[in-house]
């Protein structure tokens, strides 16, 4: 070998190809979305197609693990009981290979992920509070919502996922008969005693009607149609838009008195539906289907103004549909059999109801808490045990300096407490329903409030700043716990091994967290974590 | 290994005896003046002397500088580089302490230094790697201008890790150590400073190249904010990155000065 050839070999061997790293390292972090479950915090790491699960360990430790998610997260929502997180994903927009992802629903529970493939992407999600069903649909188009999930979408197609069914039978798509309406909300009723037996219903509120679907026969053959209740006025082209519904099973011994009450957003009427046995010989428009074993009897009642909220209540005169009308500063009780109304004047323009009978009891009827941000200062207790006879004596007012924007429930063992958050002022209140007292707590800035699931404490923090305080709900004693980093969210979660921990999330960069003992928060014993989304790549 | 050494030793013995034969005749002293008719065949002509009968000249000291291109297979390396290559500046100095015949066995010290920086999910990352080793090298000289070599270099490797994550006011840093060993084969060709093999000691420049495999023990690179203890709220926990090593095949090319 000549010297020249030898040198050439050396140079050639230096020119070699380079290996590339996994693409996850080049994925930006994007907007951080975190969801609190009862025993963990789930950070949706959309660009990395994964969910990072943070679990509280002893001695302020933080367990970290990652679960796969479908590509392109459209919506994520935790169940009310904090047991599950549901994530809707778009999948690969154009599937080039068999291995490319389809749209999917991922259910995260107990640190594991269960994936349900879907035929098409959807952006709307409704979770059964009893934990069996999930309804997937096209989310209504609003300014703040994501854009339509696919090029063509059928808003009236509802995909039902039965979480208790095996994989191949879990997903049931249903297309609702439509009169031009677009579904706005999908909800699930508790079990109702109907003429055909105990049933659960799915209630779909469109922008002009309401549809009822028998969930217990959703896969029955022959198929049973949904019941559509059209709310459009017969003489007006302007549809009545449902604004929410309430449900009541009625007398537990009767199967023909289950009712739904529907509030209309643009009409002074409230609608009540009584679910009774279907008529003998009833047929369906589609001969391949069989009729339901119940039907809805419709009643209308004028409450004098557009109601802010409705609720079924038990008064000394029987079951009534109560509506609160803020524009008239009044509440109205509707007799469901006769549609006769009873008016109760209110001192403020309350707009919301919350039934508190299960906490404070009621003498001959329910007790409701009235509140609302529409110019109403404070709250009021409405004793419905005497509302029908002496309506003017049934309301007791607790005056506060500010209107109440929201009411936070406190779980047992302190259900008698409600946390009232004002609209503008730097204060909130601890309302004791039993003693009917409202204790103010003031803050230096607008505070975000989180009530722990064990009902023992409240956390107040200033979003994007370091201010954090624990408020003991036993005596409303505030304990300042300022951190050294900005706080974007706090989660009070059960700790593995017993006790509870507070995980304060810092969404900057690759996401950090500070963990404290929730029961005895001490920053000197806290642990700070950094770069959580750089781990386990 | 013994067969390998035997293959070296046999030619060394032969070369040594040839050297003795070649040097004994010119060194023979003349005890008395003699007039001898010179014949053409008696004239020693170094230009015509067969090179293989001569022992090569070994330069005892050698210092080298070059570039080491290291392929890194460790997944932990991905956080710091967008490909699997680590280029390092490579410096070494050796002394040939055993030079029988065409063989030279040398040892000394070597230092390799390389750095990679990248973005991991938008966060700036940097890794500096220092490798300090003791090379033990055997060179076999085919010719005065060409040798091949085999080398073993045990040592230690230091990783200096830095991640600039916005969730921390301070950079996340850590500098773990690990063990390292290189095994390589190579060759060297003399570029400058030739001359005859019997020339007095002088500087010679070589082009060297090696191909080998470097093994390193993996280290936990998990960095944490390097804050003053009085500034820390409770305690700072490290970011758990994947374990890191820089082991893998490598190619080293450089220049060496021997004298």
């Amino acid at each position: 070998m000549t010297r020249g050839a030898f040198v050439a070999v050396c140079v050639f061997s230096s020119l070699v190809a380079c290996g590339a790293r996994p693409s996850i390292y080049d994925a930006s972090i994007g907007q951080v979305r975190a969801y609190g479950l009862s025993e963990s915090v789930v950070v949706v790491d959309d660009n990395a197609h994964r969910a990072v699960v943070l679990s509280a360990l002893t001695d302020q430790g933080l367990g970290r693990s990652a679960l796969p998610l479908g590509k392109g997260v459209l919506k994520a929502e935790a169940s009310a009981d904090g047991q599950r997180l549901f994530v809707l994903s778009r999948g690969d927009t154009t599937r080039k290979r068999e291995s490319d992802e389809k749209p999917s629903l991922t259910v995260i529970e107990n640190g594991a992920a269960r994936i349900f493939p879907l035929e098409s992407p959807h952006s709307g999600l409704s979770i059964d509070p009893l934990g069996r069903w999930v309804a997937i649909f096209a989310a209504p188009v609003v300014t703040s919502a994501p854009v339509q999930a696919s090029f063509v979408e059928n808003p009236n197609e509802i995909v039902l996922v039965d979480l208790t069914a095996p994989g191949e039978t879990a997903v049931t798509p249903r297309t609702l008969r439509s009169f031009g309406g677009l579904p706005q909300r999908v909800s699930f009723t508790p079990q109702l005693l109907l003429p055909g037996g105990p049933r659960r219903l799915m209630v779909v509120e469109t922008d002009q009607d309401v549809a009822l679907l028998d969930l217990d026969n959703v896969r029955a053959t022959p198929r049973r149609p949904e019941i559509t209740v059209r709310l459009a006025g017969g003489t007006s082209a302007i549809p009545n838009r449902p604004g929410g519904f309430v449900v009541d099973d009625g007398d537990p011994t009767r199967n023909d008195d289950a009712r739904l009450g529907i509030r209309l957003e643009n009409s002074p009427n409230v609608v009540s539906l009584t679910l009774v046995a279907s008529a003998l010989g009833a047929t369906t428009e589609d001969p391949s289907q069989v009729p339901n074993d119940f039907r809805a009897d419709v009643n209308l009642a004028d409450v004098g103004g557009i109601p802010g909220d409705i609720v079924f209540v038990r008064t000394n005169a029987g079951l009534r549909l109560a509506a609160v009308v803020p524009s008239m500063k009044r509440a109205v009780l509707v007799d469901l059999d006769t549609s006769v109304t009873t008016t109760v004047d209110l001192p403020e323009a309350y707009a919301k109801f919350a039934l508190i009978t299960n906490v404070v009891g009621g003498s001959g009827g329910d007790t409701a808490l009235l509140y609302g941000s529409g110019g109403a200062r404070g709250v009021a207790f409405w004793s419905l045990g005497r509302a029908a006879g002496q309506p003017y004596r049934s309301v007791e007012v607790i005056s506060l300096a500010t209107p109440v924007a929201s009411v936070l429930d406190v779980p047992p063992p302190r259900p008698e407490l409600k946390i009232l958050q004002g609209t503008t002022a730097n204060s909130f209140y601890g309302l004791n329903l039993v003693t009917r007292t409202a204790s103010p707590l003031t803050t230096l800035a607008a505070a975000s409030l989180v009530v722990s699931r064990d009902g023992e404490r409240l956390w107040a923090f200033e979003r994007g700043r370091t201010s954090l305080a624990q408020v003991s709900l036993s005596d409303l004693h505030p304990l300042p716990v300022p951190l050294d980093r900005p706080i974007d969210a706090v989660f009070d979660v059960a700790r593995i091994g017993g006790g509870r921990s507070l995980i304060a999330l810092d969404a900057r960069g690759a996401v950090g967290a500070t963990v404290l003992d929730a029961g005895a928060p001490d920053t000197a014993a806290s642990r700070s974590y950094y770069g959580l989304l750089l781990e386990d790549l | 290994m013994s067969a390998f050494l035997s293959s070296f030793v046999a030619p060394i013995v032969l070369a040594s005896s040839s050297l003795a034969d070649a040097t004994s005749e010119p060194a023979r002293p003349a005890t008395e003046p003699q007039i001898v008719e010179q014949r053409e065949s008696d004239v020693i002509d170094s230009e015509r002397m067969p090179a293989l009968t001569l022992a090569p000249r070994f330069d005892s000291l050698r210092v080298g500088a070059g570039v080491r291109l290291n392929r890194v297979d460790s997944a932990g390396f991905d956080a710091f580089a967008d490909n699997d290559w680590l280029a390092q500046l490579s410096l070494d100095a050796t002394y040939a302490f055993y030079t029988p015949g065409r063989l030279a066995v040398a040892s000394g010290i070597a230092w390799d230094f390389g750095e990679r920086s990248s973005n991991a999910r938008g966060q700036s990352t940097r890794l500096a790697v220092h490798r300090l080793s003791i090379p033990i090298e055997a060179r076999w000289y085919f010719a005065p201008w060409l040798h091949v070599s085999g080398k073993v270099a045990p040592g230690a490797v230091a990783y200096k890790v830095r991640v600039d994550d916005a969730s921390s006011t301070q950079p996340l840093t850590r500098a773990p150590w690990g063990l390292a060993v290189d095994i390589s084969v190579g060759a060297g060709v003399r570029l400058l400073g030739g001359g005859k093999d019997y020339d007095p000691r002088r500087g010679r420049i070589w082009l060297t190249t090696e191909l080998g495999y470097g093994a390193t023990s993996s280290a936990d690179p998990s960095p944490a904010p390097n804050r003053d203890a009085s500034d820390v709220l409770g305690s700072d926990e490290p970011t758990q990155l994947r374990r890191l090593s820089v082991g893998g095949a490598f190619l080293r090319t450089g220049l060496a000065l021997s004298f």
Side-chain angles (χ1 to χ4, degrees):
Chain A
M1 180 185 290
T2 66
R3 294 188 201 191
F6 185 79
V7 171
V9 168
C10 294
V11 172
F12 178 76
S13 17
S14 301
L15 302 174
V16 287
C18 298
R21 65 180 177 180
S23 59
I24 189 172
Y25 285 95
D26 298 314
S28 63
I29 288 178
Q31 185 185 5
V32 174
R33 287 176 285 183
Y35 302 86
L37 300 183
S38 57
E39 295 180 346
S40 60
V41 177
V42 181
V43 180
V44 173
D45 190 359
D46 187 13
N47 291 351
H49 317 310
R50 64 178 189 160
V52 175
V53 181
L54 309 176
S55 308
L57 308 176
T58 56
D59 197 22
Q60 283 67 263
L62 189 67
R64 288 94 93 187
S65 60
L67 297 172
L69 281 184
K71 294 177 181 172
V73 173
L74 294 166
K75 185 170 177 66
E77 191 172 330
S79 61
D81 61 2
Q83 296 301 308
R84 294 177 174 135
L85 178 71
F86 299 88
V87 184
L88 280 175
S89 304
R90 185 195 309 272
D92 284 303
T93 306
T94 304
R95 294 187 71 232
K96 298 172 183 172
R97 287 171 290 276
E98 192 62 32
S99 59
D100 286 349
E101 284 183 16
K102 288 184 173 180
S104 62
L105 168 71
T106 304
V107 183
I108 294 174
E109 182 179 15
N110 295 328
R114 185 180 176 194
I115 297 177
F116 297 89
L118 304 173
E119 287 297 318
S120 56
H122 300 274
S123 53
L125 186 67
S126 181
I127 302 167
D128 176 10
L130 299 184
R132 177 173 177 183
W133 299 96
V134 178
I136 300 167
F137 58 101
V141 177
V142 292
T143 310
S144 58
V147 295
Q148 183 168 315
S150 61
F151 180 56
V152 177
E153 208 168 39
N154 179 1
N156 286 289
E157 182 183 59
I158 311 289
V159 179
L160 275 164
V161 180
D162 184 353
L163 299 173
T164 63
E168 61 276 13
T169 58
V171 179
T172 307
R174 282 294 294 260
T175 298
L176 304 179
R177 182 176 53 170
S178 175
F179 297 93
L182 304 172
Q184 304 296 302
R185 283 176 298 278
V186 178
S187 311
F188 300 89
T189 70
Q191 191 171 77
L192 304 173
L193 187 56
L194 300 186
R199 298 288 163 78
R200 296 197 64 205
L201 305 179
M202 181 176 75
V203 180
V204 181
E205 298 171 72
T206 75
D207 52 1
Q208 62 183 38
D209 49 34
V210 171
L212 309 178
L213 183 68
D214 182 356
L215 288 172
D216 293 285
N217 288 294
V218 73
R219 294 181 70 89
T221 306
R223 217 161 93 163
R224 301 188 183 195
E226 70 278 2
I227 296 172
T228 303
V229 180
R230 301 185 67 185
L231 300 175
T235 58
S236 172
I238 301 174
N240 288 322
R241 188 182 177 93
F245 77 94
V246 290
V247 64
D248 187 90
D249 194 23
D251 186 338
T253 62
R254 292 177 55 184
N255 64 1
D256 60 352
D257 62 345
R259 290 183 169 93
L260 268 72
I262 301 168
R263 179 177 72 88
L264 302 180
E265 284 185 351
N266 54 349
S267 166
N269 290 325
V270 292
V271 181
S272 74
L273 308 178
T274 306
L275 305 179
V276 298
S278 57
L280 287 174
T283 59
T284 60
E285 296 170 1
D286 183 347
S288 67
Q289 298 181 342
V290 296
N292 286 287
D293 48 16
F294 66 95
R295 62 185 171 86
D297 272 354
V298 182
N299 266 319
L300 281 177
D302 189 340
V303 295
I306 294 176
D309 200 2
I310 58 173
V311 65
F312 280 110
V313 295
R314 279 163 178 78
T315 72
N316 52 340
L319 182 69
R320 297 288 185 269
L321 179 61
V324 61
V325 186
S327 61
M328 309 291 287
K329 286 191 178 180
R330 67 164 59 153
V332 178
L333 294 170
V334 180
D335 186 329
L336 297 165
D337 295 324
T338 64
S339 293
V340 173
T341 59
T342 303
T343 300
V344 179
D345 291 326
L346 302 174
E348 296 284 346
Y350 302 116
K352 296 287 181 187
F353 277 121
L355 275 184
I356 55 174
T357 315
N358 60 337
V359 178
V360 300
S363 175
D366 283 330
T367 303
L369 179 70
L370 300 172
Y371 64 98
S373 58
R377 287 175 302 165
V379 297
F381 293 90
W382 189 17
S383 301
L384 291 150
R386 52 192 172 195
Q390 296 175 298
Y392 52 91
R393 291 186 58 189
S394 63
V395 178
E396 179 182 342
V397 175
I398 294 183
S399 186
L400 304 176
T402 62
V404 175
S406 61
V407 175
L408 300 179
D409 295 329
V410 176
R414 301 183 205 290
E416 73 278 9
L417 285 180
K418 299 275 185 188
I419 305 300
L420 310 179
Q421 201 159 15
T423 50
T424 54
N426 296 334
S427 63
F428 58 94
Y429 299 85
L431 174 68
N432 190 313
L433 301 175
V434 175
T435 61
R436 300 200 174 184
T437 56
S439 305
L441 290 106
T442 58
T443 57
L444 288 173
S448 299
L449 305 179
V450 174
V451 178
S452 66
R453 289 184 188 273
D454 66 351
E456 294 291 350
R457 70 199 72 81
L458 162 78
W459 296 96
F461 68 99
E462 186 181 1
R463 199 175 297 275
R465 300 295 180 89
T466 59
S467 304
L468 172 68
Q470 183 217 55
V471 179
S472 167
L473 292 177
S474 61
D475 55 3
L476 296 182
H477 170 63
L479 176 67
V481 197
L483 303 184
D484 63 347
R485 64 199 312 181
I487 304 166
D488 290 283
V490 301
F491 303 94
D492 189 315
V493 299
R495 185 165 55 218
I496 296 172
R500 298 189 70 83
S501 291
L502 181 82
I503 300 176
L505 219 57
D506 174 4
R508 296 176 303 163
V511 181
T514 299
V515 182
L516 300 107
D517 183 345
D522 179 5
T523 51
S526 69
R527 290 180 187 267
S528 297
Y529 298 83
Y530 307 90
L532 296 174
L533 297 189
L534 296 178
E535 298 182 336
D536 204 13
L537 293 177
Chain B
M1 181 59 78
S2 60
F4 176 75
L5 287 175
S6 303
S7 65
F8 277 117
V9 170
I12 292 168
V13 172
L14 291 174
S16 301
S17 59
S18 301
L19 183 62
D21 293 341
T23 55
S24 60
E25 191 173 342
R28 184 173 59 200
T31 54
E32 55 185 16
Q34 289 183 0
I35 297 172
V36 178
E37 185 183 354
Q38 270 193 341
R39 293 177 297 180
E40 189 178 352
S41 59
D42 293 335
V43 176
I44 298 174
D45 182 355
S46 62
E47 294 296 329
R48 292 167 53 190
M49 181 176 290
L52 287 177
T53 63
L54 300 175
R57 173 180 181 77
F58 299 107
D59 297 312
S60 303
L61 281 172
R62 174 182 286 203
V63 293
V67 174
R68 171 182 171 134
L69 192 60
N70 206 137
R71 181 176 175 95
V72 180
D73 299 325
S74 166
F77 189 64
D78 290 333
F80 305 97
D82 55 9
N83 58 39
D84 291 341
W85 294 99
L86 174 66
Q88 292 177 281
L89 170 68
S90 185
L91 303 176
D92 66 343
T94 57
Y95 173 75
F97 61 87
Y98 183 57
T99 57
R102 292 169 181 267
L103 178 69
V105 179
S107 184
I109 191 164
W111 175 61
D112 300 323
F113 168 73
E115 198 172 78
R116 289 300 306 262
S117 60
S118 182
N119 277 299
R121 313 210 59 197
Q123 317 307 308
S124 173
T125 60
R126 179 175 296 175
L127 170 69
V129 179
H130 297 264
R131 185 195 307 258
L132 200 61
S133 60
I134 300 172
I136 303 167
E137 182 179 19
R139 303 183 198 118
W140 176 258
Y141 287 81
F142 285 110
W145 56 271
L146 175 66
H147 69 74
V148 295
S149 62
K151 183 158 76 175
V152 175
V157 61
Y159 308 95
K160 192 174 177 187
V161 170
R162 174 182 169 132
V163 177
D164 291 309
D165 176 24
S167 69
S168 168
T169 54
Q170 298 287 319
L172 310 178
T173 59
R174 185 179 166 93
W177 284 78
L179 298 175
V181 62
D182 288 350
I183 299 176
S184 62
V185 293
V189 60
R190 194 178 66 205
L191 298 179
L192 295 171
K196 298 185 175 64
D197 292 335
Y198 296 100
D199 285 349
R201 184 179 293 273
R202 58 187 292 188
R204 292 176 168 86
I205 292 180
W206 299 76
L207 173 67
T208 61
T209 190
E210 289 173 50
L211 195 60
Y213 189 87
T216 62
S217 61
S218 67
D220 181 4
S222 299
N226 188 17
R227 293 200 284 182
D228 189 90
S230 60
D231 294 334
V232 177
L233 184 82
S235 64
D236 284 338
E237 299 301 313
T239 300
Q240 293 175 356
L241 302 181
R242 286 185 180 274
R243 290 186 73 83
L244 174 67
S245 74
V246 291
F250 69 86
L251 173 74
R252 175 160 38 204
T253 300
L255 296 175
L257 173 64
S258 65
F259 50 90

